[in-house]
Amino acid sequence: LSRRGERPGAEALAALPVAVDAMGGDKAPGEIVEGARRAAADDGIPVVLVGPPDQVGDTCGLDLVPCTEVIAMDEDPAGGVRRKKDSSLVRVAELVRDGKASAMVSAGNTGATMAAALLRMGRLPGVIRPCIATPLPRLGRTPAVLVDAGANAECTPAMLVQFAQMGAAYVAARFGTVSPTVGLLSIGEESTKGTPLVKETHALLSGSAGPDTKFEFEFVGNLEGRDLLPSPADVIVTDGFTGNVALKALEGSLRFLFDAMLEVFGTNDETKAAADVLLPYLLPMAAEFEPENTGGAMLLGTDGVCVISHGSSNAVSMVNAVRVAYECATRGLVDHVAAAVRPPQEG
Amino acid sequence: LSRRGERPGAEALAALPVAVDAMGGDKAPGEIVEGARRAAADDGIPVVLVGPPDQVGDTCGLDLVPCTEVIAMDEDPAGGVRRKKDSSLVRVAELVRDGKASAMVSAGNTGATMAAALLRMGRLPGVIRPCIATPLPRLGRTPAVLVDAGANAECTPAMLVQFAQMGAAYVAARFGTVSPTVGLLSIGEESTKGTPLVKETHALLSGSAGPDTKFEFEFVGNLEGRDLLPSPADVIVTDGFTGNVALKALEGSLRFLFDAMLEVFGTNDETKAAADVLLPYLLPMAAEFEPENTGGAMLLGTDGVCVISHGSSNAVSMVNAVRVAYECATRGLVDHVAAAVRPPQEG
């Protein structure tokens, strides 16, 4: 089922559309289609929608690849992809596999998005397991990236090393970061801290496990939970269980604090007036924390670009997601990731 | 080395002093001694300091149990406790073991504090491993408690079940919570989500693994990272690696946001004036997040009360830590924890 023939080059990819799952997400199809329309109109990015015509409705002039099925947000991911072969999620992945789209974007069922991408595009050679890379804001700087943010609850040291390699390739391709730094999430700075998984990964990344490892990044050692915002390293590596818990803990605490602040602002006329003065300064900061502005999470390790957007994505989120998908595809993200995980003897 | 004879009853414990490691913490002995003095003077709590007289200096009229050694903040925990038998940390634990103190408090080396408590007081019968319980603020309500917040990087399902039992006994003893609720930290609500550790623990806590488990709490299922602030459950159970990462992620993100807000407030005269209006409302909220006001973390599962304070503890932190230690000791925390983990056939 995997890729037929050669991966298209940068020029070919730039001419291909980004395939958008018009039925993915809580606000599909309305906000999804509107976001795709804006990305095409404002940024000149070629876009194709995928979905059942009667459910998608008005495509705002965008091309629509018709299909007959939709995988629901709460549907069993593997089962949904296996059963619904003519679903919008499966079809966007097939467009990338078949060289008819440069990238896929979905705000639908995360597990099903991963499964569709993995089963239809396939893994890159040598990749043990794809992982999810999620941006973490660093005010005024390019975001850091957390890998794995939730694709793999169980990991091995070899997988974590690949997450580091793929994450570094991603920040290089997306943000132009030269010689990215990589940190390992643990519970203390010392290499002796943490689980066996973390300790063995530390040995591999630091080169103390053998002299023949050569990475395209600088390993800066262990980081702790308090280092996630703002992260001193460009890439933070962890297993998908810890990564998902940490990411949601960050999202939850920031939302909690914003909500509590807004409640304080509304206390009385005096606080409302004071808030009016401060909000123009606070809102740009808050915007950097908004998932809708980060372009969503990126699946790394599949043979094609796959952006996994938040289920709550609106039109703004989709504009950013389509933009990130297009930029990463045309900058050769997949080639960079493939090169990063290639075993030394093959290089 | 463990407890000699019977555990003292509530009345006997109320008459015993709380043993404070005068040399523990970044601000020892100055802030530590001052905090102990205030707890004694303002709350009438009996307190005894432990430390080398020449290093402690002025005891502000408090009794001092002299010793000759100090375990440094960055010293190897197990090695420090083994070698420095006359250190302040080892001696506070021995005072509890010997029935001469109701509880121990230290803001020193966390690992050494755990090791001293474990090796000198011993584990309660049946306890596989002690764990650390750390309060998580819930604005306007009693805090939730995260167990294990970092004592055990590697855990088994049986350990997590005991953390739930001990955590529930703790919130009952400390906050008077009647039939506490317990949630399990995972990466999705469904019982099928997470690592094998989480899935097996879910089966044990939900009773689906066998009909003979009877808990003194209500298991509410899986929680996610975003549920930590504010937690819908009174107790959140996780392994010490995930717990430590999540806790530090929360601390770090809140600090990051507070710092960013303060920077905005100082932008110009207009924002400063607006901030002056809002700060009286924001500061009480911020205070609920301050570790210094929570009384520190509690070690659960040892045969004696042990409060582990933040290394950065000041006098206010110590007042709260001594207060929590005294309250928990006199309310019979250790008996409650012992009863919670007692195997059914022995009860």
Side-chain angles (χ1 to χ4, degrees):
Chain A
L1 282 170
S2 69
R3 181 176 294 282
R4 292 153 189 173
E6 282 296 289
R7 196 174 305 125
E11 211 165 317
L13 284 167
L16 290 175
V18 172
V20 174
D21 172 12
M23 298 308 297
D26 303 328
K27 294 165 186 162
E31 295 278 320
I32 305 301
V33 173
E34 171 60 16
R37 185 197 65 77
R38 283 191 217 165
D42 301 348
D43 297 337
I45 297 174
V47 175
V48 62
L49 300 172
V50 181
D54 56 327
Q55 292 184 55
V56 175
D58 183 7
T59 65
C60 300
L62 294 171
D63 286 341
L64 176 76
V65 172
C67 65
T68 58
E69 295 174 298
V70 172
I71 296 176
M73 292 298 277
D74 56 358
E75 200 165 332
D76 168 54
V81 170
R82 198 168 49 235
R83 280 188 305 270
K84 296 186 172 172
K85 292 187 172 29
D86 195 30
S87 61
S88 54
L89 248 178
V90 169
R91 292 299 183 204
V92 288
E94 288 178 352
L95 288 174
V96 178
R97 176 195 67 187
D98 298 341
K100 292 177 181 161
S102 61
M104 65 176 274
V105 173
S106 179
N109 185 318
T110 299
T113 306
M114 287 194 291
L118 181 58
L119 294 171
R120 289 303 186 270
M121 301 172 174
R123 276 174 300 171
L124 287 169
V127 167
I128 307 167
R129 295 284 291 273
C131 65
I132 293 177
T134 298
L136 294 178
R138 299 191 284 188
L139 297 179
R141 299 172 56 196
T142 59
V145 161
L146 180 72
V147 284
D148 175 14
N152 308 284
E154 288 174 85
C155 293
T156 63
M159 285 167 68
L160 263 60
V161 168
Q162 287 197 341
F163 298 166
Q165 294 172 311
M166 297 194 288
Y170 177 47
V171 297
R174 179 163 172 194
F175 304 118
T177 311
V178 180
S179 40
T181 50
V182 170
L184 178 63
L185 192 56
S186 187
I187 57 173
E189 284 177 25
E190 308 87 341
S191 62
T192 55
K193 284 290 177 80
T195 57
L197 170 66
V198 169
K199 287 185 261 192
E200 287 169 39
T201 304
H202 190 288
L204 292 171
L205 290 175
S206 65
S208 68
D212 53 344
T213 29
K214 182 89 183 71
F215 299 119
E216 301 291 317
F217 55 79
E218 182 197 348
F219 178 56
V220 297
N222 286 351
L223 299 178
E224 297 187 63
R226 67 168 68 92
D227 301 317
L228 291 170
L229 281 186
S231 167
D234 299 313
V235 178
I236 306 119
V237 174
T238 188
D239 65 273
F241 183 86
T242 308
N244 185 277
V245 167
L247 186 67
K248 288 181 178 164
L250 294 179
E251 287 179 3
S253 69
L254 295 174
R255 187 162 306 276
F256 181 56
L257 210 60
F258 278 127
D259 289 349
M261 257 172 53
L262 289 180
E263 206 174 303
V264 163
F265 288 176
T267 309
N268 55 42
D269 287 348
E270 207 188 11
T271 58
K272 282 178 196 165
D276 284 342
V277 172
L278 292 170
L279 279 174
Y281 300 90
L282 290 172
L283 288 180
M285 186 181 87
E288 290 207 41
F289 292 112
E290 270 302 320
E292 73 178 42
N293 294 324
T294 64
M298 183 70 73
L299 189 64
L300 298 175
T302 47
D303 193 355
V305 170
C306 171
V307 170
I308 302 173
S309 292
H310 222 275
S312 62
S313 290
N314 58 17
V316 174
S317 322
M318 287 314 288
V319 172
N320 285 304
V322 170
R323 194 179 288 158
V324 168
Y326 186 72
E327 286 176 1
C328 286
T330 54
R331 288 176 191 165
L333 171 64
V334 174
D335 288 335
H336 290 298
V337 170
V341 298
R342 195 175 294 147
Q345 61 272 24
E346 294 180 25
Chain B
L1 282 171
S2 68
R3 180 175 295 282
R4 292 158 187 167
E6 282 297 291
R7 195 173 307 125
E11 211 166 317
L13 285 166
L16 290 174
V18 172
V20 174
D21 172 11
M23 298 308 297
D26 302 329
K27 294 166 187 162
E31 295 278 319
I32 306 301
V33 173
E34 172 59 16
R37 184 196 68 75
R38 282 191 218 166
D42 301 348
D43 297 336
I45 297 174
V47 175
V48 62
L49 299 172
V50 181
D54 57 326
Q55 291 184 58
V56 176
D58 183 6
T59 64
C60 300
L62 294 172
D63 286 341
L64 176 76
V65 172
C67 65
T68 58
E69 294 174 299
V70 172
I71 297 176
M73 292 298 277
D74 56 356
E75 200 164 333
D76 168 52
V81 170
R82 199 168 47 236
R83 280 189 306 271
K84 296 187 171 171
K85 293 189 171 28
D86 195 30
S87 62
S88 54
L89 248 178
V90 169
R91 292 299 182 202
V92 289
E94 288 178 351
L95 288 175
V96 178
R97 177 194 69 187
D98 298 341
K100 292 177 182 161
S102 61
M104 64 176 276
V105 174
S106 180
N109 185 320
T110 299
T113 306
M114 287 193 290
L118 182 58
L119 295 171
R120 289 303 187 271
M121 300 174 176
R123 275 174 301 170
L124 286 170
V127 167
I128 306 167
R129 294 284 291 273
C131 65
I132 293 177
T134 298
L136 295 178
R138 300 192 282 188
L139 296 179
R141 297 172 58 196
T142 58
V145 162
L146 180 73
V147 286
D148 175 14
N152 309 283
E154 288 175 84
C155 293
T156 63
M159 285 167 67
L160 263 60
V161 169
Q162 287 197 341
F163 298 168
Q165 295 173 311
M166 297 193 288
Y170 176 47
V171 296
R174 180 164 170 196
F175 304 119
T177 311
V178 179
S179 40
T181 50
V182 170
L184 178 64
L185 192 57
S186 187
I187 58 174
E189 284 178 23
E190 308 87 342
S191 62
T192 54
K193 285 291 177 75
T195 57
L197 170 65
V198 168
K199 287 184 261 192
E200 288 169 40
T201 304
H202 191 288
L204 292 171
L205 289 175
S206 66
S208 67
D212 54 343
T213 28
K214 181 88 184 73
F215 298 120
E216 302 290 318
F217 55 78
E218 183 196 351
F219 178 56
V220 298
N222 286 352
L223 299 178
E224 298 187 63
R226 68 167 66 93
D227 301 317
L228 291 171
L229 279 186
S231 167
D234 300 312
V235 178
I236 305 119
V237 174
T238 188
D239 66 272
F241 184 85
T242 308
N244 185 278
V245 167
L247 186 68
K248 288 181 178 163
L250 294 179
E251 287 178 0
S253 69
L254 295 174
R255 187 162 305 277
F256 181 55
L257 209 61
F258 278 128
D259 289 350
M261 258 173 50
L262 289 180
E263 206 174 303
V264 164
F265 288 176
T267 309
N268 55 42
D269 288 347
E270 208 187 9
T271 58
K272 282 179 198 164
D276 285 342
V277 172
L278 292 171
L279 278 174
Y281 301 90
L282 291 171
L283 288 180
M285 187 181 86
E288 291 206 40
F289 292 112
E290 270 302 320
E292 74 177 43
N293 295 325
T294 65
M298 181 72 70
L299 189 65
L300 298 175
T302 48
D303 193 356
V305 170
C306 171
V307 170
I308 303 173
S309 293
H310 224 274
S312 62
S313 289
N314 58 17
V316 174
S317 322
M318 287 313 288
V319 172
N320 286 303
V322 170
R323 195 179 288 159
V324 168
Y326 185 72
E327 286 176 1
C328 286
T330 54
R331 287 174 192 168
L333 171 65
V334 174
D335 288 333
H336 290 297
V337 171
V341 298
R342 193 175 297 147
Q345 61 272 24
E346 294 180 25

